[in-house]
Amino acid sequence: MKDKILDKSTEMFLTLGFKSVTMDDIAESLGISKKTIYQHYKTKAALVEAAVLYLFDSICNGIDFICEASENPIEELFHIKKFVSEYLKDDKSSPQFQLKKYYPKIYDRIIWKQFEVMYDSLKENLEKGIASGIYRPEIDIDFIARIYFSGMVSVKDTDLFPSSTYIPSVITEKFLEYHIRAIATENGLKILNEFINENNN
């Protein structure tokens, strides 16, 4: 039952938002009493934290699979962006900044976990790109990995980029293209342009 509660609440939090989903809503959707949920999760905040960690682990597993299967570092980044965007239902909401607004302590914990994982993954991506002649050899790997993470977090800030003007999944793709154009060699730019043209047709 604990796993069912976690699965359903995670889905509802992503679709409807961390703030608007109540314990009553979750209980009703599962056809159980609210008391049953509280037997497994003492507070809504505890359930939110469990859901966020569950999401984090699921996304990390998906990213690992993409990194193993991708043909080159540029495609890898686009496939990861698409996977994460679809998994987090980014076209409908910005769950990351709902979390920051309503559950800041949980947000602070998860953002550093994200940084640790993304930093290592990005360094590996950059190293592969340099080795294959797709990224420029003189780039500062540590700086680029950090600035990329910072940018990806910032473009999800709905105060900076209001959802009435910017679709979250579109703006992350724009930032990704901006990032690659800043570090790519001529060969890398050719691969990037071909990839964009193929996926826009």
Side-chain angles (χ1 to χ4, degrees):
M1 178 52 69
K2 188 174 184 178
D3 288 343
K4 285 185 178 178
I5 293 168
L6 187 58
D7 281 339
K8 176 54 71 173
S9 59
T10 301
E11 178 192 329
M12 293 178 74
F13 288 145
L14 283 179
T15 305
L16 303 171
F18 289 105
K19 174 71 171 175
S20 59
V21 175
T22 66
M23 298 296 251
D24 285 315
D25 294 332
I26 296 165
E28 185 180 344
S29 69
L30 287 167
I32 60 175
S33 69
K34 191 162 62 170
K35 184 179 177 182
T36 303
I37 298 177
Y38 284 120
Q39 286 174 349
H40 299 285
Y41 300 98
K42 291 183 179 179
T43 62
K44 182 183 174 185
L47 180 54
V48 167
E49 184 168 15
V52 168
L53 290 171
Y54 173 67
L55 271 171
F56 179 79
D57 288 340
S58 300
I59 289 170
C60 285
N61 289 335
I63 289 173
D64 286 344
F65 178 79
I66 290 167
C67 291
E68 289 174 12
S70 293
E71 289 186 15
N72 65 65
I74 290 175
E75 286 191 14
E76 178 180 293
L77 289 178
F78 275 98
H79 290 317
I80 288 172
K81 191 236 53 118
K82 184 179 180 184
F83 166 72
V84 173
S85 179
E86 289 176 353
Y87 205 94
L88 294 180
K89 305 181 190 295
D90 260 349
D91 279 333
K92 295 181 181 178
S93 62
S94 184
Q96 180 173 289
F97 272 81
Q98 289 180 29
L99 192 67
K100 183 179 182 180
K101 185 173 182 180
Y102 300 113
Y103 297 93
K105 288 182 181 178
I106 298 172
Y107 173 84
D108 287 342
R109 276 198 293 272
I110 201 66
I111 203 72
W112 284 110
K113 282 176 73 71
Q114 279 183 354
F115 173 72
E116 287 168 7
V117 170
M118 275 188 71
Y119 177 76
D120 288 341
S121 177
L122 284 164
K123 278 183 68 179
E124 192 173 319
N125 179 276
L126 291 165
E127 287 164 358
K128 283 193 293 187
I130 290 169
S132 59
I134 291 174
Y135 301 150
R136 290 184 286 109
E138 73 275 12
I139 62 172
D140 183 331
I141 289 176
D142 176 73
F143 173 76
I144 297 294
R146 290 173 186 273
I147 205 74
Y148 180 78
F149 177 80
S150 175
M152 272 299 187
V153 170
S154 295
V155 295
K156 292 176 182 291
D157 186 337
T158 51
D159 290 330
L160 281 174
F161 300 96
S163 53
S164 57
T165 307
Y166 299 97
I167 299 170
S169 62
V170 172
I171 196 168
T172 53
E173 185 144 336
K174 285 179 181 293
F175 177 73
L176 177 52
E177 182 182 345
Y178 172 85
H179 161 75
I180 293 169
R181 289 193 184 282
I183 63 173
T185 60
E186 285 189 24
N187 187 38
L189 290 173
K190 183 181 176 184
I191 291 169
L192 172 65
N193 292 329
E194 286 174 356
F195 182 82
I196 290 171
N197 290 335
E198 284 172 12
N199 286 272
N200 285 342
N201 292 334

